[in-house]
Amino acid sequence: MTTALLQPPHDALAHHAALEHLLLGDLRELLEEPPDRQNRRWLLVILDGLLETLPRQFLLEEQGGYLAEVLDQYPSWRPQVDGLRRQHGELYATLDRLRDRVAGGRPFGHAAADVRRELRDWMHRLIAHNRHENRILQTAMNLEVGTGD
């Protein structure tokens, strides 16, 4: 049994978010390196780590209802929240596809430029997704606090 399963959900979510942050930093650095066999191996290790971490993080976020505390206060925000939840599957599927391209039988140099660009685009989409989640939570908290007596 992993320690993440023994931790309270908030602690486990923070753990996965921190791991995601570290892996994205490593991925960003690795994408700056020249594409070679060693780079390809490390790239696969990082992508595998992200493919293991992201579903766990998404599952923890969705426990008890994805952004349920926001929807309880602001039910009209459901379309935004549903869109963010759908992005979980899209982000995972895109990363999985990119990982398969990196692992593919062709020499990595042939597809490296395209895959690197797509991985950068994917990272930007994940970061934008995380920012949008945080912005919705912060806005909901600020509106709730700002309502007055």
Side-chain angles (χ1 to χ4, degrees), residues 7-129:
Q7 298 170 329
H10 179 72
D11 289 347
L13 185 57
H15 168 78
H16 288 294
L19 184 56
E20 173 195 302
H21 181 76
L22 291 172
L23 289 168
L24 288 176
D26 289 346
L27 179 59
R28 189 175 295 113
E29 286 181 24
L30 201 54
L31 291 175
E32 299 301 321
E33 299 292 324
D36 59 21
R37 294 176 87 182
Q38 184 73 12
N39 182 287
R40 181 185 205 168
R41 281 194 292 268
W42 281 112
L43 193 53
L44 287 170
V45 168
I46 292 169
L47 295 177
D48 287 342
L50 283 165
L51 286 167
E52 184 178 319
T53 300
L54 285 177
R56 291 177 181 176
Q57 182 177 344
F58 293 157
L59 182 65
L60 287 168
E61 288 176 349
E62 293 176 10
Q63 278 183 350
Y66 181 63
L67 295 174
E69 62 276 9
V70 170
L71 292 175
D72 288 345
Q73 290 294 117
Y74 306 100
S76 64
W77 292 9
R78 179 162 299 285
Q80 283 183 300
V81 170
D82 288 346
L84 284 169
R85 185 178 40 247
R86 275 191 305 276
Q87 285 178 6
H88 286 173
E90 294 165 4
L91 287 163
Y92 181 84
T94 300
L95 184 62
D96 190 44
R97 181 183 53 79
L98 289 168
R99 192 258 180 231
D100 288 347
R101 286 184 59 198
V102 171
R106 291 182 12 185
F108 185 51
H110 292 203
D114 289 340
V115 171
R116 288 163 171 267
R117 181 184 41 76
E118 290 179 48
L119 280 168
R120 283 187 189 96
D121 290 346
W122 178 86
M123 281 193 313
H124 291 298
R125 285 195 311 272
L126 178 63
I127 291 167
H129 169 84

